[in-house]
Amino acid sequence: QVQLVESGGGLVQPGGSLRLSCVVSGFTFSSSAMNWYRQAPGKGRELVAAITSDGGNAVYDDSVRGRFTISRDNANDTLYLQMNSLRPEDTAVYFCNAPLRRPGLPRGAWGQGTQVTVSS
């Protein structure tokens, strides 16, 4: 059974920081690239950051580049998103995603999401 569980969201003031975590099980984490997506109210889901299976390369959306860092701990099956210099427009539900290729997961594997609210 594939599972992804996000944590670390919450309410933070503009300029603050949060670190999101995603603990996974049910697949070989160290062999899978991983993604963070987010969805704000009334908007579509957008890719925030992606990382290769070994953590050697990452890509970021223009809106977060330089402020967010995606990383992973393959020994502990955990994906992270360090978010610094947060802005109100970062407010969204954040999801971790594993782009797995298997019949039971036509859209890959997704966590339940964690709410991030940036507000004064």
Side-chain angles (χ1 to χ4, degrees):
Q1 185 177 8
V2 173
Q3 288 192 316
L4 295 78
V5 180
E6 301 97 334
S7 63
L11 175 64
V12 65
Q13 294 185 359
S17 297
L18 286 172
R19 188 178 75 159
L20 307 184
S21 299
C22 174
V23 179
V24 314
S25 60
F27 66 97
T28 305
F29 178 69
S30 61
S31 297
S32 180
M34 295 293 296
N35 307 308
W36 283 102
Y37 284 80
R38 68 185 180 187
Q39 187 166 23
K43 298 183 179 180
R45 192 168 297 187
E46 66 175 353
L47 180 68
V48 176
I51 190 168
T52 56
S53 60
D54 66 354
N57 287 282
V59 296
Y60 299 91
D61 183 78
D62 288 345
S63 66
V64 309
R65 189 175 299 110
R67 300 187 298 120
F68 291 12
T69 303
I70 187 171
S71 62
R72 63 195 297 157
D73 181 353
N74 282 353
N76 291 292
D77 294 344
T78 305
L79 177 73
Y80 299 99
L81 185 67
Q82 178 67 47
M83 305 185 296
N84 299 326
S85 303
L86 283 161
R87 304 167 179 169
E89 54 263 42
D90 296 318
T91 296
V93 178
Y94 285 71
F95 301 88
C96 65
N97 162 257
L100 301 178
R101 303 289 194 274
R102 59 180 67 185
L105 298 170
R107 300 178 185 88
W110 295 85
Q112 82 290 346
T114 186
Q115 176 71 48
V116 172
T117 302
V118 184
S119 177
S120 59

